[in-house]
Amino acid sequence: NAGVMQNPRHLVRRRGQEARLRCSPMKGHSHVYWYRQLPEEGLKFMVYLQKENIIDESGMPKERFSAEFPKEGPSILRIQQVVRGDSAAYFCASSRRDSRTDTQYFGPGTRLTVL
Amino acid sequence: AQTVTQSQPEMSVQEAETVTLSCTYDTSENNYYLFWYKQPPSRQMILVIRQEAYKQQNATENRFSVNFQKAAKSFSLKISDSQLGDTAMYFCAFMKGETGANSKLTFGKGITLSVRP
C-alpha cells in the first residue's frame, strides 16, 4: 500500500513565477491537509480539504495561495507570483476520515526554493 | 488559540540509554489529542505516539512512552534503550477533539535529538 505521494520533491522557481505542488493521498483516504515548514520551525497548518471541498483554510495566506482537491486526481497547492519568503518545505498529510479517530500520514514533502 | 512549546532546542544521549523530551501546551479545551512526530534526516514525518486527553493511562509504543500530566499541561516523551536510528527532530503536536472542522495539528518548534554511538 503506497504511502502519501508528493511531487516534485524539489522545486526551484524564480521570483514572480508560479509553483504547483501535488499530493496524492493514501489509497482510501479522502481527507488532505497541507502544512508548511520554514527553516528551524515546526510545521504550520495551511489548509484542510476533502474531495471537492475546502473545509478549513484558516492557515492560508490571503493572497497568492490556493488549494484544491478535485474529484479525480491529486490535491494541488498553488502559489502564484512566488517570493523568497515562500521558500520552505511543504508537507501534505492524508487520513481515511476524521483525524480524531484516524491518524494523519505525511508525505515526504516538497522543498520549494525561490531564487 | 492553542500553543505548543518545546523549550529544549537539542539534546544528546548515549546509545542504549534513556532520554526524555519535554513539551508543554496551552489550551482551554477539555477534549483533545496529543502527538509526538519524528522527522529523521530524510525529512519524512513519522507518527511516534498518540495520547487521548480523556485517557488517564499514559500511551506506550515499544520503547516510546509518554508522561501525560493534564493539569500541568505537560506531555513528555521518554525513549528507552536509545538507538542510532532515533536520531531525528521530534515534534510535539496538539489537535482539538471536538467534532467539526478542527482536525488540524498544531506543532511545537521541535527538538533535535542526537544518539551517540
Side-chain angles (χ1 to χ4, degrees):
Chain A
N1 188 12
V4 179
M5 309 285 284
Q6 287 188 251
N7 66 81
R9 294 292 306 276
H10 300 274
L11 182 62
V12 179
R13 286 288 178 265
R14 296 192 179 278
R15 280 178 295 171
Q17 291 184 320
E18 178 179 289
R20 280 184 180 238
L21 288 62
R22 293 174 184 77
C23 169
S24 296
M26 287 179 69
K27 187 176 180 180
H29 286 196
S30 59
H31 297 239
V32 166
Y33 311 79
W34 284 94
Y35 295 85
R36 176 165 66 175
Q37 184 178 29
L38 295 170
E40 309 302 323
E41 295 283 327
L43 280 69
K44 297 274 195 260
F45 169 78
M46 299 182 75
V47 62
Y48 164 35
L49 310 103
Q50 295 179 25
K51 286 282 188 181
E52 300 184 281
N53 284 304
I54 297 175
I55 306 301
D56 181 355
E57 57 181 346
S58 58
M60 287 279 270
K62 293 285 186 285
E63 298 177 346
R64 303 187 296 107
F65 285 71
S66 62
E68 62 177 9
F69 188 17
K71 187 177 180 181
E72 300 291 336
S75 175
I76 306 287
L77 179 67
R78 181 183 179 204
I79 311 172
Q80 295 178 291
Q81 299 174 332
V82 296
V83 301
R84 288 222 174 105
D86 297 333
S87 294
Y90 291 82
F91 288 90
C92 167
S94 74
S95 64
R96 189 158 46 91
R97 52 178 188 270
D98 190 304
S99 279
R100 276 169 290 278
T101 55
D102 222 12
T103 298
Q104 288 187 30
Y105 292 91
F106 281 80
T110 293
R111 185 181 292 275
L112 172 66
T113 302
V114 180
L115 301 176
Chain B
Q2 284 64 232
T3 58
V4 178
T5 302
Q6 295 179 254
S7 56
Q8 307 155 305
E10 54 186 88
M11 289 191 73
S12 180
V13 64
Q14 194 74 33
E15 193 176 9
E17 293 189 346
T18 295
V19 64
T20 299
L21 310 182
S22 301
C23 172
T24 58
Y25 58 94
D26 189 24
T27 184
S28 58
E29 305 287 327
N30 189 49
N31 184 18
Y32 51 87
Y33 299 84
L34 296 164
F35 305 83
W36 279 96
Y37 277 86
K38 168 184 176 180
Q39 187 178 43
S42 66
R43 300 189 66 82
Q44 178 80 47
M45 291 290 287
I46 302 165
L47 177 67
V48 175
I49 202 163
R50 166 187 170 127
Q51 173 80 42
E52 289 83 0
Y54 62 85
K55 289 188 178 178
Q56 292 185 341
Q57 187 173 6
N58 289 324
T60 62
E61 284 289 340
N62 301 315
R63 297 183 296 108
F64 299 88
S65 61
V66 299
N67 183 5
F68 172 48
Q69 300 290 327
K70 191 172 183 179
K73 295 181 181 174
S74 170
F75 183 60
S76 60
L77 175 69
K78 185 172 84 171
I79 306 174
S80 304
D81 185 24
S82 297
Q83 299 176 359
L84 296 178
D86 295 334
T87 293
M89 279 204 76
Y90 286 80
F91 293 95
C92 180
F94 172 101
M95 179 193 295
K96 286 184 183 178
E98 68 199 46
T99 55
N102 294 312
S103 52
K104 62 189 177 189
L105 290 163
T106 300
F107 286 89
K109 286 192 173 184
I111 176 172
T112 300
L113 175 67
S114 300
V115 180
R116 304 186 305 273

